[in-house]
Coordinates of all heavy atoms in Angstrom, one line a residue:
M89 N 140.1 52.8 78.6 CA 140.6 51.7 79.4 C 141.7 52.2 80.3 O 141.8 51.9 81.5 CB 141.0 50.6 78.5 CG 141.6 49.4 79.3 SD 140.3 48.3 79.8 CE 141.3 47.0 80.4
D90 N 142.7 52.9 79.6 CA 143.9 53.4 80.4 C 143.4 54.4 81.5 O 144.0 54.3 82.5 CB 144.8 54.1 79.5 CG 145.6 53.2 78.5 OD1 145.6 51.9 79.0 OD2 146.2 53.6 77.6
D91 N 142.4 55.2 81.3 CA 141.8 56.1 82.3 C 141.4 55.3 83.5 O 141.6 55.7 84.6 CB 140.9 57.1 81.7 CG 141.3 57.9 80.6 OD1 142.6 58.3 80.7 OD2 140.5 58.6 79.9
V92 N 140.7 54.2 83.3 CA 140.1 53.5 84.3 C 141.2 52.9 85.2 O 141.2 52.8 86.4 CB 139.1 52.4 83.8 CG1 138.8 51.4 84.9 CG2 137.9 53.0 83.1
I93 N 142.1 52.3 84.5 CA 143.4 51.6 85.2 C 144.1 52.8 86.0 O 144.5 52.5 87.2 CB 144.3 51.0 84.2 CG1 143.5 49.7 83.7 CG2 145.5 50.6 84.9 CD1 144.3 49.1 82.5
H94 N 144.4 53.8 85.3 CA 145.0 55.0 86.0 C 144.2 55.5 87.3 O 144.7 55.6 88.3 CB 145.1 56.2 85.1 CG 145.8 57.4 85.8 ND1 145.2 58.3 86.4 CD2 147.1 57.7 85.8 CE1 146.0 59.2 86.8 NE2 147.2 58.8 86.6
E95 N 142.9 55.5 87.2 CA 142.1 55.9 88.3 C 142.2 54.9 89.5 O 142.2 55.2 90.7 CB 140.7 56.1 87.9 CG 139.8 56.8 88.9 CD 140.2 58.2 89.5 OE1 140.9 58.9 88.6 OE2 139.9 58.5 90.7
I96 N 142.1 53.7 89.1 CA 142.2 52.6 90.1 C 143.5 52.7 90.9 O 143.5 52.7 92.2 CB 142.0 51.2 89.4 CG1 140.6 51.0 89.1 CG2 142.3 50.0 90.5 CD1 140.3 49.8 88.2
F97 N 144.6 52.8 90.1 CA 145.9 52.9 90.9 C 146.0 54.2 91.6 O 146.6 54.2 92.8 CB 147.0 52.8 89.8 CG 147.3 51.4 89.4 CD1 146.9 51.0 88.2 CD2 148.0 50.5 90.2 CE1 147.3 49.6 87.8 CE2 148.4 49.3 89.9 CZ 147.9 48.7 88.6
K98 N 145.5 55.3 91.2 CA 145.5 56.5 91.9 C 144.8 56.4 93.2 O 145.3 56.8 94.2 CB 144.9 57.6 91.1 CG 145.0 59.0 91.7 CD 144.3 60.1 90.9 CE 144.3 61.4 91.5 NZ 143.9 61.5 92.9
E99 N 143.5 55.8 93.2 CA 142.8 55.6 94.5 C 143.6 54.7 95.4 O 143.5 55.0 96.6 CB 141.5 55.0 94.0 CG 140.5 56.0 93.4 CD 139.2 55.4 93.0 OE1 139.0 54.2 93.4 OE2 138.5 56.0 92.3
A100 N 144.3 53.7 94.9 CA 144.9 52.8 95.8 C 146.2 53.4 96.4 O 146.4 53.3 97.6 CB 145.4 51.6 95.0
F101 N 146.8 54.3 95.5 CA 148.0 54.9 96.0 C 147.6 56.0 97.1 O 148.2 56.2 98.1 CB 148.7 55.7 94.9 CG 149.8 56.6 95.3 CD1 151.1 56.1 95.7 CD2 149.6 58.0 95.4 CE1 152.1 56.9 96.0 CE2 150.7 58.8 95.8 CZ 151.9 58.3 96.2
D102 N 146.5 56.8 96.8 CA 146.0 57.8 97.7 C 145.6 57.2 99.1 O 145.9 57.7 100.2 CB 144.8 58.5 97.1 CG 145.1 59.4 96.1 OD1 146.3 59.7 95.8 OD2 144.3 59.9 95.3
E103 N 145.0 56.0 99.1 CA 144.6 55.3 100.3 C 145.8 54.7 101.1 O 145.9 55.0 102.3 CB 143.7 54.1 100.0 CG 143.2 53.3 101.1 CD 142.4 54.1 102.2 OE1 141.8 55.1 101.9 OE2 142.3 53.6 103.4
S104 N 146.8 54.3 100.3 CA 148.0 53.9 101.0 C 148.8 55.0 101.6 O 149.2 54.9 102.7 CB 148.9 53.2 99.9 OG 150.2 52.8 100.5
K105 N 148.7 56.2 101.0 CA 149.5 57.3 101.5 C 148.7 57.8 102.7 O 149.3 58.1 103.8 CB 149.4 58.3 100.4 CG 150.2 59.7 100.8 CD 150.1 60.7 99.7 CE 150.7 62.1 100.1 NZ 150.6 63.0 99.0
R106 N 147.4 57.8 102.7 CA 146.6 58.2 103.8 C 146.9 57.4 105.0 O 147.1 57.9 106.2 CB 145.1 58.2 103.6 CG 144.3 58.8 104.7 CD 142.8 58.5 104.5 NE 142.5 57.1 104.6 CZ 142.6 56.3 105.7 NH1 142.9 56.9 106.8 NH2 142.3 55.0 105.6
Q107 N 146.9 56.1 104.9 CA 147.2 55.2 105.9 C 148.6 55.4 106.4 O 148.8 55.3 107.7 CB 147.0 53.8 105.4 CG 145.6 53.3 105.2 CD 145.5 51.9 104.6 OE1 146.6 51.3 104.2 NE2 144.3 51.3 104.7
G108 N 149.5 55.7 105.6 CA 150.9 55.9 106.0 C 151.0 57.1 106.9 O 151.7 57.2 107.9
I109 N 150.3 58.1 106.6 CA 150.3 59.5 107.3 C 149.6 59.2 108.6 O 150.2 59.6 109.7 CB 149.6 60.6 106.5 CG1 150.5 61.0 105.3 CG2 149.3 61.7 107.5 CD1 149.8 61.9 104.3
E110 N 148.6 58.5 108.7 CA 147.9 58.2 110.0 C 148.7 57.4 110.9 O 148.8 57.7 112.1 CB 146.5 57.5 109.7 CG 145.7 57.3 111.0 CD 144.3 57.0 110.7 OE1 143.7 57.5 109.8 OE2 143.8 56.3 111.5
E111 N 149.6 56.4 110.3 CA 150.4 55.6 111.1 C 151.6 56.4 111.7 O 152.0 56.2 112.8 CB 150.9 54.4 110.3 CG 149.9 53.3 109.9 CD 150.4 52.3 108.9 OE1 151.8 52.4 108.6 OE2 149.7 51.5 108.5
A112 N 152.0 57.4 110.9 CA 153.0 58.3 111.3 C 152.6 59.2 112.5 O 153.2 59.3 113.6 CB 153.6 59.2 110.2
H113 N 151.3 59.6 112.4 CA 150.8 60.4 113.5 C 150.6 59.6 114.7 O 150.9 60.1 115.9 CB 149.5 61.0 113.1 CG 149.5 62.1 112.0 ND1 148.5 63.1 111.9 CD2 150.3 62.3 111.1 CE1 148.8 63.8 110.9 NE2 149.9 63.4 110.3
E114 N 150.2 58.4 114.7 CA 150.1 57.5 115.8 C 151.4 57.2 116.4 O 151.5 57.1 117.6 CB 149.3 56.2 115.5 CG 147.8 56.4 115.1 CD 147.0 55.1 114.9 OE1 147.7 54.1 114.8 OE2 145.9 55.3 114.6
R115 N 152.4 57.0 115.6 CA 153.8 56.7 116.1 C 154.3 57.9 116.9 O 154.9 57.7 118.0 CB 154.7 56.5 115.0 CG 156.1 55.9 115.4 CD 156.9 55.5 114.2 NE 156.7 56.2 113.0 CZ 156.2 55.7 111.9 NH1 155.6 54.4 111.8 NH2 156.0 56.4 110.8
V116 N 154.0 59.1 116.5 CA 154.5 60.3 117.2 C 153.6 60.5 118.5 O 154.3 60.6 119.6 CB 154.1 61.6 116.3 CG1 154.2 62.8 117.2 CG2 155.1 61.7 115.1
A117 N 152.3 60.1 118.5 CA 151.6 60.1 119.7 C 152.0 59.2 120.7 O 152.1 59.3 121.8 CB 150.1 59.9 119.4
R118 N 152.3 57.9 120.2 CA 152.8 56.8 121.2 C 154.1 57.3 121.8 O 154.3 57.1 123.0 CB 153.0 55.6 120.4 CG 151.7 54.7 120.1 CD 152.0 53.3 119.7 NE 152.7 53.3 118.3 CZ 152.1 53.2 117.3 NH1 150.9 53.3 117.2 NH2 152.8 53.2 116.2
D119 N 155.0 57.9 121.1 CA 156.3 58.3 121.6 C 156.1 59.5 122.6 O 156.7 59.5 123.7 CB 157.2 58.9 120.5 CG 157.8 57.7 119.5 OD1 157.7 56.6 120.0 OD2 158.3 58.1 118.5
M120 N 155.2 60.3 122.3 CA 154.8 61.5 123.3 C 154.2 61.0 124.6 O 154.5 61.4 125.6 CB 154.0 62.5 122.5 CG 154.7 63.1 121.4 SD 153.7 64.3 120.5 CE 153.7 65.7 121.7
L121 N 153.3 59.9 124.4 CA 152.7 59.3 125.6 C 153.8 58.7 126.5 O 153.7 58.8 127.7 CB 151.7 58.2 125.1 CG 150.3 58.8 124.6 CD1 149.5 57.7 123.9 CD2 149.5 59.3 125.8
K122 N 154.7 58.0 125.8 CA 155.8 57.4 126.5 C 156.7 58.4 127.3 O 157.3 58.1 128.4 CB 156.7 56.5 125.7 CG 156.1 55.3 125.2 CD 156.9 54.5 124.2 CE 156.1 53.4 123.6 NZ 157.0 52.7 122.5
M123 N 156.7 59.6 126.9 CA 157.4 60.8 127.5 C 156.5 61.5 128.6 O 157.0 62.4 129.1 CB 157.9 61.7 126.4 CG 158.8 61.0 125.4 SD 159.2 62.2 124.0 CE 160.0 63.5 124.9
N124 N 155.3 60.9 128.7 CA 154.3 61.6 129.7 C 154.1 63.1 129.4 O 153.9 63.8 130.2 CB 154.9 61.4 131.2 CG 155.0 60.0 131.6 OD1 154.1 59.2 131.4 ND2 156.0 59.6 132.2
L125 N 153.9 63.3 128.1 CA 153.6 64.7 127.8 C 152.0 64.9 127.8 O 151.3 63.9 127.7 CB 154.0 64.9 126.4 CG 155.5 64.9 126.1 CD1 155.9 65.1 124.8 CD2 156.2 66.0 127.0
P126 N 151.5 66.1 128.1 CA 150.1 66.2 128.3 C 149.2 66.0 127.0 O 149.7 66.3 125.9 CB 150.0 67.7 128.7 CG 151.3 68.4 128.3 CD 152.3 67.2 128.3
L127 N 148.0 65.6 127.2 CA 147.1 65.3 126.2 C 147.0 66.4 125.2 O 147.0 66.2 123.9 CB 145.8 65.0 126.7 CG 144.7 64.7 125.7 CD1 145.1 63.4 124.8 CD2 143.3 64.4 126.3
S128 N 146.9 67.7 125.6 CA 146.7 68.8 124.8 C 147.8 69.0 123.8 O 147.7 69.3 122.7 CB 146.4 70.1 125.5 OG 147.5 70.4 126.3
L129 N 149.0 68.8 124.3 CA 150.2 68.8 123.4 C 150.3 67.8 122.4 O 150.5 68.0 121.2 CB 151.5 68.9 124.2 CG 152.8 69.1 123.5 CD1 152.9 70.5 122.8 CD2 154.0 69.0 124.5
I130 N 150.0 66.6 122.9 CA 149.9 65.3 122.0 C 148.9 65.7 120.9 O 149.2 65.4 119.6 CB 149.6 64.1 122.7 CG1 150.8 63.9 123.7 CG2 149.6 62.9 121.7 CD1 150.5 62.7 124.7
E131 N 147.7 66.2 121.2 CA 146.6 66.4 120.2 C 147.1 67.5 119.2 O 147.0 67.3 118.0 CB 145.4 67.0 120.9 CG 144.6 65.9 121.5 CD 143.4 66.5 122.3 OE1 143.6 67.6 123.0 OE2 142.3 66.0 122.2
K132 N 147.8 68.5 119.6 CA 148.2 69.6 118.8 C 149.4 69.1 117.8 O 149.3 69.4 116.7 CB 148.8 70.7 119.6 CG 149.2 71.9 118.9 CD 149.7 73.0 119.9 CE 148.9 74.3 119.6 NZ 149.5 75.3 120.5
I133 N 150.3 68.4 118.4 CA 151.5 67.9 117.5 C 151.1 66.7 116.5 O 151.4 66.8 115.4 CB 152.6 67.6 118.4 CG1 153.1 68.9 119.0 CG2 153.8 67.0 117.5 CD1 154.2 68.9 119.9
S134 N 150.3 65.7 117.1 CA 150.1 64.6 116.4 C 148.9 64.7 115.4 O 148.7 63.9 114.5 CB 149.8 63.4 117.2 OG 148.5 63.5 117.9
K135 N 148.0 65.7 115.6 CA 146.8 66.0 114.9 C 145.8 64.8 115.1 O 145.0 64.7 114.2 CB 147.2 66.0 113.3 CG 148.3 67.0 113.0 CD 147.8 68.4 113.2 CE 148.7 69.5 112.7 NZ 149.5 70.3 113.5
L136 N 146.0 64.1 116.1 CA 145.0 63.0 116.4 C 144.0 63.5 117.4 O 144.3 64.4 118.3 CB 145.7 61.9 117.0 CG 146.7 61.1 116.1 CD1 147.4 60.0 116.8 CD2 145.9 60.6 114.8
S137 N 142.8 62.9 117.5 CA 141.7 63.3 118.5 C 142.1 62.8 119.8 O 143.0 61.8 120.0 CB 140.4 62.7 118.0 OG 140.5 61.3 118.2
G138 N 141.6 63.3 120.9 CA 141.8 62.9 122.2 C 141.3 61.4 122.4 O 142.0 60.7 123.2
D139 N 140.3 61.1 121.8 CA 139.8 59.7 122.0 C 140.8 58.7 121.3 O 141.1 57.6 121.9 CB 138.5 59.4 121.2 CG 137.3 60.1 121.9 OD1 137.5 60.4 123.1 OD2 136.3 60.5 121.2
T140 N 141.5 59.0 120.2 CA 142.4 58.1 119.6 C 143.6 58.0 120.4 O 144.2 57.0 120.6 CB 142.8 58.7 118.2 OG1 141.6 58.7 117.4 CG2 143.8 57.8 117.5
I141 N 144.0 59.2 121.0 CA 145.2 59.3 121.9 C 144.9 58.5 123.1 O 145.9 57.7 123.6 CB 145.6 60.6 122.2 CG1 146.1 61.4 120.9 CG2 146.7 60.7 123.3 CD1 146.2 62.9 121.0
R142 N 143.8 58.5 123.6 CA 143.5 57.7 124.9 C 143.5 56.2 124.5 O 143.9 55.3 125.4 CB 142.0 58.1 125.4 CG 142.1 59.4 126.2 CD 140.7 59.8 126.6 NE 140.7 61.1 127.3 CZ 140.4 62.2 126.7 NH1 140.0 62.2 125.4 NH2 140.4 63.4 127.2
R143 N 143.0 55.9 123.4 CA 143.0 54.4 122.9 C 144.4 54.0 122.7 O 144.7 52.8 123.2 CB 142.3 54.4 121.6 CG 142.2 52.9 121.0 CD 141.6 52.8 119.7 NE 142.1 53.7 118.7 CZ 143.2 53.6 118.0 NH1 144.0 52.5 118.2 NH2 143.5 54.4 117.1
L144 N 145.3 54.8 122.3 CA 146.7 54.4 122.2 C 147.3 54.2 123.5 O 148.1 53.3 123.8 CB 147.4 55.5 121.3 CG 147.2 55.5 119.8 CD1 147.8 56.8 119.1 CD2 147.7 54.3 119.1
A145 N 147.0 55.1 124.4 CA 147.6 55.1 125.8 C 147.2 53.9 126.5 O 148.0 53.1 127.1 CB 147.1 56.3 126.5
E146 N 145.9 53.5 126.3 CA 145.5 52.2 126.9 C 146.1 51.0 126.3 O 146.6 50.1 127.1 CB 143.9 52.1 126.6 CG 143.3 50.9 127.4 CD 141.8 50.8 127.0 OE1 141.1 51.9 127.0 OE2 141.3 49.7 126.9
S147 N 146.4 51.0 125.0 CA 147.1 49.9 124.4 C 148.6 49.8 124.9 O 149.1 48.7 124.9 CB 147.1 50.0 122.9 OG 147.9 50.9 122.3
L148 N 149.1 50.9 125.2 CA 150.5 51.0 125.8 C 150.5 50.8 127.3 O 151.6 50.5 127.8 CB 151.1 52.3 125.4 CG 151.4 52.6 124.0 CD1 151.8 54.1 123.8 CD2 152.4 51.7 123.4
G149 N 149.4 50.8 127.9 CA 149.3 50.6 129.3 C 149.9 51.9 130.1 O 150.5 51.8 131.1
V150 N 149.8 53.1 129.5 CA 150.3 54.3 130.1 C 149.1 55.2 130.4 O 148.1 55.2 129.8 CB 151.3 55.0 129.3 CG1 152.6 54.1 129.1 CG2 150.8 55.5 127.9
A151 N 149.2 56.1 131.3 CA 148.3 57.1 131.8 C 148.3 58.3 130.8 O 149.4 58.7 130.3 CB 148.4 57.5 133.2
V152 N 147.1 58.9 130.6 CA 147.1 60.1 129.9 C 147.2 61.3 130.9 O 146.4 61.4 131.8 CB 145.8 60.2 129.0 CG1 145.7 61.6 128.4 CG2 145.7 59.2 127.9
I153 N 148.1 62.2 130.6 CA 148.3 63.4 131.4 C 147.4 64.4 130.9 O 147.5 64.9 129.7 CB 149.7 63.8 131.4 CG1 150.7 62.6 131.9 CG2 149.9 65.0 132.4 CD1 150.5 62.1 133.1
L154 N 146.6 65.0 131.8 CA 145.6 66.1 131.3 C 146.4 67.3 131.6 O 146.5 68.2 131.0 CB 144.3 66.0 132.1 CG 143.6 64.7 131.8 CD1 142.2 64.8 132.7 CD2 143.2 64.5 130.3

């Protein structure tokens, strides 16, 4: 029983950690978009895909610099 409970909490913690990391990557990308940095640099530093960065840019109302 303890093993099952431990596994449930571990999975929940891992998912929460993954979401936190992704949110941090998106925050970095948003800041870089606001600074009008090029897409290739944002991809490299934020570890996000070009599609995700374009979606963030659209939500911010800023252009993506190629």
Side-chain angles (χ1 to χ4, degrees):
M89 176 92 168
D90 287 341
D91 290 343
V92 172
I93 293 171
H94 180 267
E95 189 61 31
I96 290 169
F97 278 105
K98 182 183 179 312
E99 288 176 12
F101 176 77
D102 289 347
E103 177 63 19
S104 177
K105 183 178 174 183
R106 186 197 61 74
Q107 287 177 346
I109 290 170
E110 187 163 324
E111 288 172 8
H113 288 211
E114 288 183 2
R115 189 173 33 250
V116 167
R118 281 193 297 273
D119 290 346
M120 295 177 77
L121 283 164
K122 291 175 185 176
M123 296 170 66
N124 294 317
L125 296 175
L127 177 63
S128 60
L129 181 61
I130 298 172
E131 286 174 314
K132 185 180 228 179
I133 292 174
S134 72
K135 309 289 192 248
L136 296 174
S137 70
D139 290 338
T140 300
I141 295 166
R142 286 182 184 90
R143 180 182 52 77
L144 289 171
E146 186 177 325
S147 74
L148 293 170
V150 298
V152 175
I153 308 297
L154 300 176

